[in-house]
Amino acid sequence: MDQYLSLCQRILNEGSWVNNKRTGKRCLTVINADLTYDVSQKKFPLVTTRKSFWKSAVAEIIGYMRGYRNASDFRKLGTKTWDMNANENADWLSNPVRAGHDDMGLVYGAIGRNFPALNGKKIDLLQKIVNNLKQGIDDRSEIYTFYHPGAFDYGCLRPCMYSHHFSLVGDQLYLNSTQRSCDVPLGLNFNMVQVYVLLALMAQITGHKPAQAYHKIVNCHIYEDQIEGMQEQVSRAPYPAPTFEINPDIKTLADIETWVTLDDFSCRDYIYHPAIKYPFTV
């Protein structure tokens, strides 16, 4: 939590105004941030200076692991985070490849589970990583990536957190996640949870102990209409980190793909300040 608030304060103090062409808004921006989450100690990096809806973040990462490309599938899991990008993004609505209402196109897990190969076939990057890690193999390229420049015109949004690199040292599993762009008041709250949960889940289904998750963000920004809310948030004293629990019956990737729901996750001892309603920019 201290890492998060330090980054927020840094943006407010040192950020430069940048005009964002896609949204038509100005952003207070800094470049480069590195956050670390100790998953081994079960210190859940959930924001406490305002109420955070962590279940929606977990539902989203489960959808990425399943390779979903339709907002309705994410809603069934328990999150509406893709509704606006799928159905209210003007550029996407006019894109001829869009396959109707709720279609997101080739974004995030839809790329990662079906990565186009040069021979015309598809590569399931996540399944390859799971297979290797279960055998104790780390080929130094256990990377689940959503970044494919050739697919940018085939989806409603370019991936923000686009790469997850797993590393195995003995029985300890590490994760390095890289994010090109981050809406700090709204997106980072989700992304911290997702990095943590992804490492915890992957360690559990591959039979290893979770270690540290390292989260690198390149472009960190606060939109101009979020400044007032962020000034209020950084003035609040954080509460102790809650703990996060995963159903121990989740043992395989197939489990995650088929029967896992939000009921299989719990957050204990979560104490938080009142909610702050930040504008969301499509």
Side-chain angles (χ1 to χ4, degrees), residues 69 85-89 92-104:
R69 60 169 289 167
N85 279 310
N87 299 311
E88 298 182 30
N89 180 331
W92 180 237
L93 293 178
S94 63
N95 192 317
V97 304
R98 182 174 180 262
H101 186 72
D102 279 335
D103 180 48
M104 297 156 47

Side-chain angles (χ1 to χ4, degrees), residues 29-123:
T29 304
V30 300
I31 301 300
N32 193 57
D34 292 283
L35 308 177
T36 302
Y37 319 126
D38 190 348
V39 185
S40 68
Q41 297 300 313
K42 294 187 177 182
K43 292 184 177 180
F44 196 33
L46 189 61
V47 169
T48 62
T49 46
R50 70 176 177 90
K51 185 177 182 180
S52 174
F53 298 94
W54 62 269
K55 288 186 177 183
S56 187
V58 173
E60 195 173 63
I61 198 66
I62 294 297
Y64 295 165
M65 296 180 78
R66 290 180 176 179
Y68 283 165
R69 60 169 289 167
N70 193 286
S72 65
D73 290 325
F74 282 92
R75 285 197 300 274
K76 291 172 186 175
L77 272 175
T79 182
K80 298 180 179 180
T81 52
W82 281 96
D83 286 7
M84 293 179 71
N85 279 310
N87 299 311
E88 298 182 30
N89 180 331
D91 288 340
W92 180 237
L93 293 178
S94 63
N95 192 317
V97 304
R98 182 174 180 262
H101 186 72
D102 279 335
D103 180 48
M104 297 156 47
L106 294 178
V107 297
Y108 286 84
I111 283 287
R113 296 302 304 267
N114 299 278
F115 203 88
L118 294 179
N119 61 5
K121 296 182 179 180
K122 306 290 185 181
I123 303 171

Side-chain angles (χ1 to χ4, degrees):
M1 190 64 222
D2 289 340
Q3 297 177 93
Y4 174 80
L5 291 177
S6 293
L7 174 58
C8 294
Q9 192 66 65
R10 176 186 161 206
I11 298 172
L12 291 174
N13 292 346
E14 305 172 13
S16 300
W17 285 108
V18 175
N19 293 315
N20 184 261
K21 181 178 178 181
R22 182 180 67 85
T23 63
K25 293 182 180 180
R26 294 191 308 160
C27 303
L28 202 55
T29 304
V30 300
I31 301 300
N32 193 57
D34 292 283
L35 308 177
T36 302
Y37 319 126
D38 190 348
V39 185
S40 68
Q41 297 300 313
K42 294 187 177 182
K43 292 184 177 180
F44 196 33
L46 189 61
V47 169
T48 62
T49 46
R50 70 176 177 90
K51 185 177 182 180
S52 174
F53 298 94
W54 62 269
K55 288 186 177 183
S56 187
V58 173
E60 195 173 63
I61 198 66
I62 294 297
Y64 295 165
M65 296 180 78
R66 290 180 176 179
Y68 283 165
R69 60 169 289 167
N70 193 286
S72 65
D73 290 325
F74 282 92
R75 285 197 300 274
K76 291 172 186 175
L77 272 175
T79 182
K80 298 180 179 180
T81 52
W82 281 96
D83 286 7
M84 293 179 71
N85 279 310
N87 299 311
E88 298 182 30
N89 180 331
D91 288 340
W92 180 237
L93 293 178
S94 63
N95 192 317
V97 304
R98 182 174 180 262
H101 186 72
D102 279 335
D103 180 48
M104 297 156 47
L106 294 178
V107 297
Y108 286 84
I111 283 287
R113 296 302 304 267
N114 299 278
F115 203 88
L118 294 179
N119 61 5
K121 296 182 179 180
K122 306 290 185 181
I123 303 171
D124 187 339
L125 299 177
L126 185 60
Q127 186 67 67
K128 174 261 185 186
I129 295 167
V130 170
N131 291 346
N132 278 1
L133 294 179
K134 289 182 72 172
Q135 299 176 67
I137 297 171
D138 175 5
D139 64 8
R140 300 182 183 177
S141 59
E142 308 297 350
I143 303 172
Y144 188 39
T145 184
F146 311 135
Y147 200 84
H148 191 313
F152 288 168
D153 293 333
Y154 292 84
C156 64
L157 184 71
R158 286 180 294 166
C160 293
M161 187 159 61
Y162 64 87
S163 178
H164 301 284
H165 187 167
F166 296 91
S167 300
L168 189 60
V169 180
D171 64 350
Q172 302 283 315
L173 187 63
Y174 294 80
L175 173 60
N176 287 73
S177 296
T178 305
Q179 188 163 356
R180 65 171 181 85
S181 175
C182 184
D183 174 344
V184 171
L186 286 175
L188 184 52
N189 183 43
F190 263 50
N191 301 140
M192 293 191 302
V193 168
Q194 291 170 338
V195 172
Y196 181 102
V197 171
L198 182 58
L199 176 56
L201 268 176
M202 288 291 284
Q204 182 163 311
I205 67 174
T206 60
H208 299 292
K209 297 177 181 178
Q212 281 71 46
Y214 303 103
H215 184 183
K216 174 173 281 294
I217 310 165
V218 179
N219 186 299
C220 316
H221 52 267
I222 301 172
Y223 284 102
E224 56 187 331
D225 54 5
Q226 298 172 329
I227 296 294
E228 184 177 349
M230 181 52 72
Q231 289 172 333
E232 165 63 24
Q233 189 169 349
V234 297
S235 72
R236 299 173 174 180
Y239 294 111
T243 57
F244 185 75
E245 300 291 339
I246 299 174
N247 183 349
D249 291 335
I250 302 174
K251 297 178 180 179
T252 66
L253 180 57
D255 290 340
I256 295 171
E257 293 171 328
T258 55
W259 58 263
V260 168
T261 71
L262 291 182
D263 292 335
D264 295 296
F265 306 92
S266 62
C267 178
R268 298 181 181 178
D269 303 317
Y270 182 36
I271 305 172
Y272 49 84
H273 287 269
I276 296 176
K277 189 172 180 58
Y278 284 110
F280 175 71
T281 301
V282 177

